[in-house]
Amino acid sequence: MTDATHDPALRSWVESANGHPDFPIQNLPLGTFIPLDMGGARVGVAIGDMILDLTAAPVDDEIRDAAAHPGLNALFALGEGVRKSLRARLSELLSDPAHRAAVEPHLHPTEGATLLVPSKIGDYTDFYVGIHHATNIGKVFRPDNPLLPNYKHVPIGYHGRASSVRASGTDIRRPKGQLKAPDSDTPRFAPCERLDYELELAIWIGPGNTLGDAIPISRAPAHIAGYGLLNDWSARDIQAWEYQPLGPFLAKNFGSTVSPWVITPEALEPFRAPQPPRPEGDPAPLPYLLDEADQAAGAFDIALEVLILTAAMRGKGMAPHRLSLSNTRHMYWTVAQMVAHHTSNGCDLNPGDLLGSGTISAPDAAGFGSLLETTKGGKEPVQLPSGETRRFLEDGDEIILRARAARDGFAGIGFGDCRATILPAN
Amino acid sequence: MTDATHDPALRSWVESANGHPDFPIQNLPLGTFIPLDMGGARVGVAIGDMILDLTAAPVDDEIRDAAAHPGLNALFALGEGVRKSLRARLSELLSDPAHRAAVEPHLHPTEGATLLVPSKIGDYTDFYVGIHHATNIGKVFRPDNPLLPNYKHVPIGYHGRASSVRASGTDIRRPKGQLKAPDSDTPRFAPCERLDYELELAIWIGPGNTLGDAIPISRAPAHIAGYGLLNDWSARDIQAWEYQPLGPFLAKNFGSTVSPWVITPEALEPFRAPQPPRPEGDPAPLPYLLDEADQAAGAFDIALEVLILTAAMRGKGMAPHRLSLSNTRHMYWTVAQMVAHHTSNGCDLNPGDLLGSGTISAPDAAGFGSLLETTKGGKEPVQLPSGETRRFLEDGDEIILRARAARDGFAGIGFGDCRATILPAN
């Protein structure tokens, strides 16, 4: 249900917010930041080119106290009621000029502030709900058997590494690892030669559950604090050799990049859509994964973009080049289904935990979410406007993920960049 | 190198320590506890039937400060030098009656104290270094292909769930999940019917590394804070259906049990052994996994035991029944190799992180580390002295893991119990 906070005519007295591609007053995403020249991480809200410090803003004491933690965990733990009230209050504070004198002293320029990983992540789980990606990558690793029989019954996921998640802007070092060429009997230890990105939706967890008590799918939305972008950097050569039988490990845990702003479910309300019907012949989800309200509004229509800026392009002053344009509509399972499945065995989710959607590829090559897919395993290099080509990533390449939601009658909102540059191996 | 702290003639003025099967003065394991009738978790040392509160003991201020944290993370971060000095100091304090008056007021009875998970676990990684287990379980899931070609090159591991690790004594609820019978086309959602334990060595991480900087194998010992027991509870039916292609997920993350005491590398020094030579024809480890000192002393000789106590046995006042007797010698990779491999791509380990060895099975059925192996996938039930049989675990069953190191000329030490009882599904 949209409300006055979504009114496209609503304007902020923070002038940079009006017409801002990402952070107009209709967005109001939450993040953790350190203001320029001030010590101490705290929680803030992006508005145009500024960040409102929630520890000092005229909001409820409960929220100011939670905002003083160096991460969104405490605020996420307060749940959706508090978050919805906060949105209404912020919308009023930042639109009504009567509040300007009280609020303006607590605005900090985003430029110069340090944006951190939004929460202290307890656990990070990566799903695999992009069905075109699962099919494409399955063809590379298992040509005869791309989409396994469990895929349409189980929202497949696995545990990722929380310690190596970094905020947008932190460089990623090329990993070394065991590489085994198909024509060699033995592996060698060397820098990764098939370094890749993965375009994913990040999901941040709210209150969560006690170990042993599942979250029924009808209650899942109450435990989703918000959304962001995730680049699940992947070393394809390490992955191919190590991943059997227990899954990806060193191929993924050398670094993952998240966008620093958490876009709330409230901000995304206008961009929800019914979950697309399953293709004819696909099995119905088991009852614990099926909810009428979730089917009616469980999908999102959010454009997802991958861009590359190589060192040579940077040297020539060129703009980043789009590698892919995809959309969250290509998720086979909804986020509520992911949460219900994850806790169906009693596993506990905690405030600030991170879920990844898995790579979200469109059905066509212009919308594939990884180079492994776009270049068909490195066989068909991508041409860049600088005259360069890429089979996989080279040192100095910067990858930028972006997301944007737009719909007639509503102000479009963006997620802010999720970007990082590859450093050479040590 | 053993020293005076290992002298088997050394006695403590804490009488219950002398001849204690687990915690004589030669052990001195670290843990996190809440004393009876006192709020607040703090770090302590087990000595016989008592726990010495390290926040109040006459030890260095640096240690007392670190001990006031509700977990061993801060003490682990101080590194091996501090830990070795602490051992020497504790050995003196608890053996020399001159210190009794200053130390005794800070001893608390273990009975009545609450023993917690030793650290706040940032990330938990489970390895797969028990080669007999890997072969046995491989036969169940992949009869034609039990031990994959990467096994003898790569210390295989995967990420586990940190949030659901619990200390010994916390009941474990039987999970529900998707089960698919081999003769059925579709799964159903039901309580797990093939619930199992896994006998593992727990490894607790010390200072750790910065993201991007590997820990060379020669430096790995400096980052190992100590050892314990880990029961990696496993839902075999959920596992069989979900684990392809990304590995185990809900089959494992409904709960893992750790023993509360961290046995230091110093305490285990007398029980180290050269890493057994690899069978003829096995490949040599790649250079980043090979270290002379590690080969000379990288293995342990520690007996590992699994016992069961069913509800019926408890009702009849029967003692727990041994299901398995194994040994840490059956690890194909050393702990230093696990640490070096884990960080070889730059992945950061942090103080208090947990590594599991993977299930450690002996070559013979009397020493298999899981029921899946012992009962050949449920086909050959185990007979219990109560007249009951078990293919897999039933509600009310308690599983107890124990470990004991003994060698002529040294006082034997134990790890303390790692135990938990199965509750019925919700």
Side-chain angles (χ1 to χ4, degrees):
Chain A
M1 306 297 290
T2 64
D3 58 29
T5 65
H6 297 105
D7 183 348
L10 195 68
R11 292 175 64 83
S12 176
W13 49 260
V14 179
E15 273 306 326
S16 64
N18 303 315
H20 195 283
D22 289 330
F23 308 130
I25 192 166
Q26 291 81 3
N27 194 344
L28 302 172
L30 302 166
T32 301
F33 77 112
I34 304 174
L36 182 65
D37 299 331
M38 289 173 69
R42 77 279 309 269
V43 169
V45 175
I47 178 76
D49 295 338
M50 307 294 283
I51 304 171
L52 175 60
D53 180 351
L54 274 189
T55 64
V59 294
D60 286 352
D61 284 349
E62 180 185 39
I63 290 171
R64 278 214 299 263
D65 291 348
H69 292 251
L72 276 157
N73 306 63
L75 188 55
F76 286 172
L78 296 177
E80 59 176 346
V82 169
R83 196 183 61 231
K84 286 175 180 175
S85 304
L86 175 61
R87 176 178 173 83
R89 175 71 177 154
L90 290 169
S91 184
E92 180 197 333
L93 289 175
L94 292 164
S95 60
D96 186 343
H99 295 293
R100 182 165 184 165
V103 172
E104 198 158 31
H106 311 300
L107 288 174
H108 300 267
T110 305
E111 193 171 333
T114 305
L115 295 170
L116 305 176
V117 174
S119 70
K120 189 162 164 39
I121 302 170
D123 281 282
Y124 155 41
T125 295
D126 205 14
F127 281 87
Y128 198 53
V129 308
I131 189 167
H132 306 302
H133 169 75
T135 307
N136 292 337
I137 206 165
K139 281 179 194 160
V140 174
F141 285 101
R142 297 172 304 276
D144 304 334
N145 204 13
L147 205 58
L148 295 170
N150 57 11
Y151 189 85
K152 293 178 175 177
H153 297 277
V154 182
I156 295 288
Y158 71 107
H159 302 121
R161 179 89 190 170
S163 73
S164 53
V165 176
R166 291 294 179 276
S168 179
T170 306
D171 294 337
I172 294 288
R173 187 159 304 280
R174 178 182 298 273
K176 293 180 185 169
Q178 288 198 25
L179 321 178
K180 197 185 82 63
D183 57 354
S184 171
D185 280 346
T186 53
R188 63 203 165 87
F189 185 75
C192 166
E193 294 168 358
R194 293 163 71 92
L195 186 58
D196 203 355
Y197 57 83
E198 289 196 332
L199 169 64
E200 303 199 13
L201 185 70
I203 298 108
W204 298 99
I205 296 296
N209 58 312
T210 303
L211 185 63
D213 291 333
I215 297 175
I217 187 165
S218 62
R219 293 292 305 152
H223 299 278
I224 299 162
Y227 300 89
L229 285 162
L230 169 67
N231 184 341
D232 179 31
W233 302 96
S234 298
R236 300 302 181 189
D237 35 14
I238 297 174
Q239 185 176 357
W241 173 233
E242 76 167 3
Y243 94 107
Q244 288 276 21
L246 299 181
F249 179 47
L250 299 189
K252 300 275 193 172
N253 66 15
F254 57 90
S256 312
T257 305
V258 290
S259 57
W261 293 109
V262 177
I263 316 300
T264 64
E266 290 71 54
L268 288 173
E269 202 56 54
F271 313 104
R272 301 203 75 152
Q275 177 69 356
R278 294 188 152 201
E280 191 140 359
D282 280 13
L286 282 167
Y288 80 100
L289 295 173
L290 202 48
D291 177 70
E292 253 181 56
D294 186 49
Q295 291 300 300
F300 289 109
D301 183 1
I302 304 170
L304 303 170
E305 194 180 17
V306 184
L307 304 104
I308 188 170
L309 185 67
T310 69
M313 291 165 71
R314 208 177 298 120
K316 292 176 189 167
M318 296 174 74
H321 171 73
R322 180 191 281 173
L323 288 172
S324 177
L325 182 63
S326 184
N327 191 293
T328 50
R329 281 174 302 167
H330 304 301
M331 294 165 62
Y332 190 78
W333 299 96
T334 67
V335 175
Q337 286 172 327
M338 291 157 60
V339 168
H341 181 65
H342 202 319
T343 64
S344 64
N345 68 344
C347 180
D348 54 331
L349 298 180
N350 290 290
D353 281 356
L354 172 63
L355 311 185
S357 60
T359 309
I360 303 178
S361 292
D364 55 295
F368 288 171
S370 68
L371 281 175
L372 184 67
E373 296 164 84
T374 305
T375 68
K376 296 203 165 60
K379 287 196 290 285
E380 299 177 13
V382 174
Q383 296 289 331
L384 303 181
S386 54
E388 300 171 281
T389 61
R390 285 291 180 275
R391 297 182 315 114
F392 290 98
L393 296 174
E394 312 230 332
D395 296 341
D397 287 354
E398 181 173 33
I399 291 293
I400 305 155
L401 309 185
R402 290 187 183 143
R404 185 163 174 77
R407 188 178 150 203
D408 281 352
F410 290 92
I413 63 174
F415 279 43
D417 286 1
C418 176
R419 60 201 299 161
T421 302
I422 301 302
L423 298 179
N426 265 337
Chain B
M1 305 296 289
T2 64
D3 59 29
T5 65
H6 296 105
D7 183 349
L10 195 67
R11 292 175 64 84
S12 176
W13 49 261
V14 180
E15 273 306 326
S16 63
N18 302 315
H20 195 281
D22 289 330
F23 309 130
I25 192 167
Q26 291 82 4
N27 194 344
L28 301 172
L30 303 166
T32 301
F33 77 112
I34 304 174
L36 182 64
D37 298 330
M38 290 174 68
R42 77 279 310 268
V43 169
V45 175
I47 178 76
D49 296 337
M50 306 294 282
I51 304 171
L52 175 60
D53 180 351
L54 274 188
T55 64
V59 294
D60 286 352
D61 284 349
E62 180 184 38
I63 290 171
R64 277 213 299 262
D65 291 348
H69 291 251
L72 276 157
N73 306 62
L75 188 56
F76 286 170
L78 296 176
E80 60 176 346
V82 169
R83 196 184 59 230
K84 286 175 180 176
S85 304
L86 174 62
R87 176 178 172 85
R89 175 70 177 154
L90 290 169
S91 183
E92 180 197 332
L93 289 175
L94 292 164
S95 59
D96 186 343
H99 295 294
R100 182 166 184 163
V103 172
E104 198 158 30
H106 310 300
L107 289 174
H108 300 266
T110 304
E111 192 171 336
T114 305
L115 295 169
L116 306 176
V117 175
S119 71
K120 189 164 163 36
I121 302 170
D123 282 283
Y124 154 41
T125 294
D126 204 16
F127 281 87
Y128 198 53
V129 309
I131 189 166
H132 306 302
H133 169 74
T135 307
N136 292 338
I137 205 165
K139 280 180 196 161
V140 175
F141 285 100
R142 298 173 302 277
D144 303 335
N145 204 13
L147 205 59
L148 295 170
N150 57 11
Y151 189 86
K152 292 178 176 177
H153 296 277
V154 182
I156 296 289
Y158 71 106
H159 302 120
R161 178 88 191 171
S163 72
S164 53
V165 176
R166 291 294 179 275
S168 179
T170 306
D171 296 336
I172 294 288
R173 188 161 302 280
R174 178 182 299 272
K176 293 180 184 169
Q178 288 197 26
L179 320 178
K180 197 185 82 64
D183 58 354
S184 171
D185 279 347
T186 54
R188 62 202 165 91
F189 185 74
C192 166
E193 295 168 357
R194 294 163 71 92
L195 186 58
D196 203 355
Y197 57 83
E198 290 197 331
L199 169 65
E200 302 200 14
L201 185 69
I203 298 109
W204 297 98
I205 296 297
N209 59 312
T210 303
L211 184 64
D213 291 335
I215 297 174
I217 187 165
S218 62
R219 293 292 303 151
H223 298 278
I224 298 162
Y227 299 89
L229 285 163
L230 169 66
N231 185 343
D232 179 30
W233 302 96
S234 298
R236 300 303 181 190
D237 35 14
I238 298 174
Q239 185 175 357
W241 173 233
E242 76 166 4
Y243 95 106
Q244 289 275 22
L246 300 180
F249 179 47
L250 299 190
K252 301 275 193 172
N253 66 14
F254 57 91
S256 312
T257 305
V258 291
S259 57
W261 292 109
V262 177
I263 316 300
T264 65
E266 291 70 55
L268 288 173
E269 203 56 54
F271 313 104
R272 301 203 73 152
Q275 177 69 356
R278 293 188 153 202
E280 190 138 359
D282 280 12
L286 282 168
Y288 80 100
L289 294 173
L290 202 49
D291 178 71
E292 252 180 58
D294 186 49
Q295 290 300 302
F300 290 110
D301 183 1
I302 303 170
L304 304 171
E305 195 180 15
V306 184
L307 303 104
I308 189 170
L309 186 66
T310 69
M313 291 166 71
R314 209 177 300 119
K316 291 177 190 167
M318 297 174 73
H321 171 73
R322 180 190 282 174
L323 288 172
S324 177
L325 182 63
S326 184
N327 192 291
T328 51
R329 281 174 301 166
H330 304 301
M331 294 165 61
Y332 190 79
W333 299 96
T334 68
V335 175
Q337 287 172 325
M338 291 158 60
V339 168
H341 181 66
H342 201 320
T343 64
S344 64
N345 67 344
C347 180
D348 53 332
L349 298 179
N350 290 290
D353 281 356
L354 171 63
L355 310 185
S357 60
T359 309
I360 303 178
S361 292
D364 54 295
F368 287 170
S370 67
L371 281 175
L372 184 68
E373 296 165 85
T374 305
T375 68
K376 297 203 163 59
K379 289 197 288 285
E380 299 177 11
V382 174
Q383 296 289 332
L384 302 182
S386 54
E388 299 171 283
T389 61
R390 285 291 179 274
R391 296 182 314 115
F392 291 98
L393 296 174
E394 312 231 332
D395 296 341
D397 287 354
E398 180 173 34
I399 291 293
I400 306 155
L401 309 185
R402 290 187 182 142
R404 185 164 174 76
R407 187 177 151 204
D408 281 353
F410 290 91
I413 63 174
F415 279 43
D417 286 0
C418 176
R419 60 200 300 160
T421 303
I422 302 301
L423 297 180
N426 265 336

